[in-house]
Amino acid sequence: MDSAVTAAIAAADHRLAFLHANYGQRTEAQELRCFTALADHFAAEKLLVVDFPALRTIGGSSLTDPSIPVREGSPVEGVVPTSYVPFRNAHLLSAAASWAEVLGAGAVFVGAVWEDSSGYPDCRPAFYEAFEEAIRQGTRPETTIRIVTPVIALTKAEIVRRGVDLAVPFEKTWSCYQSEDRACGVCESCALRLKGFAEAGGRDPIPYRSQP
């Protein structure tokens, strides 16, 4: 959902190249289907699907290790949830920066959210500021790549409202951490998504097994 709204914001002023990551997550197949559908919707000029099998091998997350239960309910302030994939976003950003340099792209847009989120360490604004500097230090002198996080300070309700204004096809997005046919409605990600739609006064168009 956050990435789709970010893509809509980017589309206003940029040509689009879409990158997707498979890392052994529970909902890998459904996320890939949504990626393809959104790429078609936004008429992305280039697509890249990157596999990170090491993240599943490393484990340490309920998204990649089936023996770790997915936490259900709303986020707990100050507690990093089991769904945190250790340093995942650094892997994604590294691939995105490499591709951006090859394409000659000037910006990498990321749908990270910190204001109203699960509290993942690699979603903090300072992380993206530091990574942008790492890109500057580690690429060609003539390369300039900004990391743009347009929804990082928005609440979920604000993201929903912005998406509605931009005609984002929310029915082509997926947030659930543990189900691929119908969203579970109880995991932390579903809870945040449902809260956002409720506070925005909208109806979430994806199917759910249950809703609180």
Side-chain angles (χ1 to χ4, degrees):
M1 181 176 82
D2 308 325
S3 294
V5 174
T6 296
I9 293 169
D13 300 303
H14 297 77
R15 297 165 61 188
L16 300 181
F18 273 22
L19 183 146
H20 177 72
N22 292 324
Y23 53 93
Q25 65 269 43
R26 293 173 186 245
T27 56
E28 183 175 278
Q30 175 67 341
E31 289 181 30
L32 184 58
R33 284 191 290 269
C34 288
F35 166 77
T36 302
L38 288 168
D40 288 343
H41 175 85
F42 288 107
E45 296 181 25
K46 294 182 180 295
L47 306 181
L48 178 64
V49 177
V50 182
D51 293 316
F52 296 100
L55 289 176
R56 184 175 181 89
T57 303
I58 291 167
S61 167
S62 58
L63 298 193
T64 57
D65 185 344
S67 71
I68 302 175
V70 173
R71 187 187 179 281
E72 298 181 350
S74 299
V76 177
E77 187 174 354
V79 177
V80 177
T82 63
S83 53
Y84 167 62
V85 179
F87 214 47
R88 181 199 68 174
N89 287 348
H91 294 257
L92 274 61
L93 286 172
S94 293
S98 294
W99 195 33
E101 187 169 27
V102 170
L103 294 177
V108 172
F109 279 74
V110 185
V113 179
W114 179 250
E115 179 63 29
D116 191 8
S117 69
S118 296
Y120 299 141
D122 56 358
C123 282
R124 291 179 292 194
F127 170 76
Y128 293 98
E129 293 165 7
F131 211 99
E132 185 176 285
E133 175 61 17
I135 293 171
R136 190 180 74 81
Q137 294 290 344
T139 53
R140 296 186 182 96
E142 64 272 22
T143 296
T144 301
I145 300 171
R146 296 178 298 121
I147 296 179
V148 185
T149 54
V151 300
I152 201 165
L154 302 184
T155 66
K156 288 292 185 182
E158 289 171 333
I159 291 170
V160 171
R161 294 188 191 104
R162 189 72 187 276
V164 170
D165 290 343
L166 294 171
V168 169
F170 285 120
E171 72 277 3
K172 297 178 180 179
T173 67
W174 199 254
S175 302
C176 184
Y177 283 156
Q178 55 187 351
S179 299
E180 291 190 299
D181 53 348
R182 301 175 71 85
C184 72
V186 293
C187 71
E188 203 166 282
S189 186
C190 281
L192 284 167
R193 178 176 175 131
L194 288 167
K195 173 175 173 282
F197 273 95
E199 291 179 352
R203 177 185 171 276
D204 190 350
I206 70 169
Y208 283 87
R209 292 181 180 178
S210 64
Q211 294 186 33

